[in-house]
């Protein structure tokens, strides 16, 4: 019978041959997930033999990762802002950069917002993080995809936030009608990749994550143009539009903000790249 140590070694080597990034971490994660234990527990019992049934449960997971399916889709969850979110191909996998956006937004606000809107909510990550941060605020979340909204609602229920977040289906601001509702804070991680950038992305992204949640026209700005076009109508005076964007889009975003009558600025992520864009209604 093969031990955990031997399976780890074989799986890491197999992943490396397939070009899987973080082969050791992914190996540990999948073995622990298949055994129903925490990753660190593996190292307390490396010489434990695995049964045939345990190996049978692990093999299809290893194959999926070797085929470059995202690890998060295989294990079915991701940690985001101290929450465990369900993830699957219905929506984009929340990234660490989006956690940064939550931190930067909360630092930028001078007071607690009363009304928050998350555009393109996907799995609901931004909406739920802000609902937890500001328990007195009303939170609306919009997505075009019925599948993404169903996933977000499942997450809302598991997090106990189904009464806090109201979901709407449609394109950007369109489900809100004629702007009767206005917000202190509007957040979004919209599609912002170009087709060229998408073509060179990792296989996990190209082959498995929803294309329309990533790519936005030849210059990556189609959806951002739509957001800026209507943002001022839905912001309260002094309200903030906070976006995750492409790192080469600052000049174009400055022009969009000016055209919309908003005061814009680019902000860097922890690696020093201009990853976020904030625009305020004067």
């Amino acid at each position: 019978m093969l031990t955990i140590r031997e399976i780890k070694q074989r799986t890491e080597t197999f992943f490396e041959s397939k070009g899987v990034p973080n082969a050791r971490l992914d190996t540990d994660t999948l073995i622990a997930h298949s055994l129903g234990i925490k990753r660190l527990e593996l190292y307390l019992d490396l010489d434990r033999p695995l049964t045939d049934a345990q190996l049978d449960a692990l093999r299809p997971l290893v194959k999926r990762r070797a085929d470059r399916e995202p690890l998060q889709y295989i294990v079915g969850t991701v940690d985001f802002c101290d929450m465990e979110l369900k993830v699957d191909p219905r929506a984009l996998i929340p990234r660490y950069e989006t956690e940064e956006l939550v931190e930067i937004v909360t630092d930028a606000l001078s007071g607690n917002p009363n009304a928050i809107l998350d555009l393109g909510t996907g799995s609901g990550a931004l909406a739920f993080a802000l609902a937890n941060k500001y328990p007195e605020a009303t939170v609306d979340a919009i997505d075009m995809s019925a599948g993404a909204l169903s996933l977000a609602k499942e997450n809302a229920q598991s997090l106990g936030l189904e009464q806090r977040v109201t979901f709407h289906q449609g394109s950007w601001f369109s489900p809100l009608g004629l702007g009767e509702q206005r917000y202190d804070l509007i957040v979004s991680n919209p599609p912002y990749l170009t087709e060229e950038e998408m073509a060179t992305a990792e296989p996990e992204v190209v082959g498995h994550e929803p294309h329309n949640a990533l790519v936005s026209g030849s210059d990556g700005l189609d959806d951002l143009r739509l957001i800026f076009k209507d943002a001022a109508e839905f912001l309260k005076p002094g309200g903030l539009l906070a976006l995750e964007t492409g790192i080469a889009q600052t000049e174009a975003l400055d022009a969009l903000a000016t055209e919309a009558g908003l005061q814009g600025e680019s902000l860097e992520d922890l690696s020093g790249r201009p990853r976020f864009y904030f625009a305020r209604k004067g």
Side-chain angles (χ1 to χ4, degrees):
M1 297 177 70
L2 295 172
T3 65
I4 289 176
R5 187 190 308 274
E6 291 168 323
I7 291 299
K8 265 176 52 62
Q9 292 170 345
R10 293 187 183 192
T11 304
E12 284 177 36
T13 301
F14 180 53
F15 280 168
E16 288 167 357
S17 74
K18 295 294 185 178
V20 173
N22 305 310
R24 181 178 180 181
L25 175 60
D26 287 11
T27 295
D28 289 356
T29 300
L30 287 182
I31 295 174
H33 176 71
S34 70
L35 295 175
I37 63 176
K38 295 181 179 180
R39 176 177 168 248
L40 293 180
E41 292 179 54
L42 293 177
Y43 290 87
L44 301 176
D45 204 9
L46 285 172
D47 294 318
R48 166 186 166 189
L50 297 184
T51 66
D52 288 342
Q54 289 170 330
L55 289 173
D56 288 343
L58 176 62
R59 287 191 184 98
L61 306 184
V62 170
K63 182 182 185 305
R64 289 169 66 186
R65 188 67 188 106
D67 290 339
R68 306 298 293 272
E69 183 176 347
L71 180 70
Q72 297 91 335
Y73 285 166
I74 298 171
V75 301
T77 61
V78 66
D79 291 329
F80 184 90
C81 292
D82 298 322
M83 302 177 294
E84 184 178 83
L85 297 177
K86 178 180 179 179
V87 289
D88 61 35
R90 287 177 287 178
L92 195 69
I93 298 166
R95 265 66 167 182
Y96 178 71
E97 291 85 354
T98 310
E99 286 189 284
E100 283 188 60
L101 177 58
V102 175
E103 295 173 6
I104 294 172
V105 164
T106 54
D107 288 342
L109 294 175
S110 57
N112 291 348
N114 294 316
I116 299 169
L117 173 63
D118 178 18
L119 293 171
T121 195
S123 63
L126 280 172
F128 303 142
L130 292 167
N132 282 332
K133 180 69 177 178
Y134 302 108
E136 302 303 318
T138 62
V139 181
D140 288 308
I142 296 174
D143 205 288
M144 172 70 82
S145 166
L149 284 176
S150 67
L151 175 62
K153 290 175 182 178
E154 290 168 22
N155 278 321
Q157 186 170 16
S158 67
L159 294 168
L161 292 171
E162 65 269 30
Q163 302 302 319
R164 291 283 325 283
V165 180
T166 302
F167 297 98
H168 312 265
Q169 185 177 1
S171 174
W172 304 122
F173 295 100
S174 62
L176 301 178
L178 300 176
E180 295 178 2
Q181 171 69 301
R182 286 180 169 77
Y183 298 90
D184 304 286
L185 173 63
I186 300 174
V187 295
S188 184
N189 176 18
Y192 55 75
L193 295 182
T194 67
E195 291 286 357
E196 183 178 359
E197 289 170 329
M198 186 67 174
T200 60
E202 292 293 327
E204 287 85 350
V205 176
V206 176
H208 297 278
E209 295 196 77
H211 188 91
N212 60 1
L214 292 160
V215 178
S216 188
S218 60
D219 61 0
L221 291 164
D222 284 2
D223 290 288
L224 284 161
R225 290 189 184 95
L226 294 174
I227 291 172
F228 273 99
K229 181 175 70 71
D230 294 327
E233 180 181 355
F234 290 92
L235 282 170
K236 295 179 183 179
L240 173 64
L241 171 67
L243 304 163
E244 182 176 333
T245 63
I247 60 175
Q249 295 177 331
T250 299
E251 185 176 347
L253 295 171
D254 283 340
L256 290 173
T258 299
E259 184 179 354
L262 302 173
Q263 300 167 349
E265 64 172 327
S266 176
L267 294 93
E268 295 181 346
D269 61 19
L270 289 177
S271 65
R273 298 172 298 178
R275 174 65 62 190
F276 310 111
Y277 197 87
F278 283 12
R280 292 186 182 273
K281 183 175 181 177

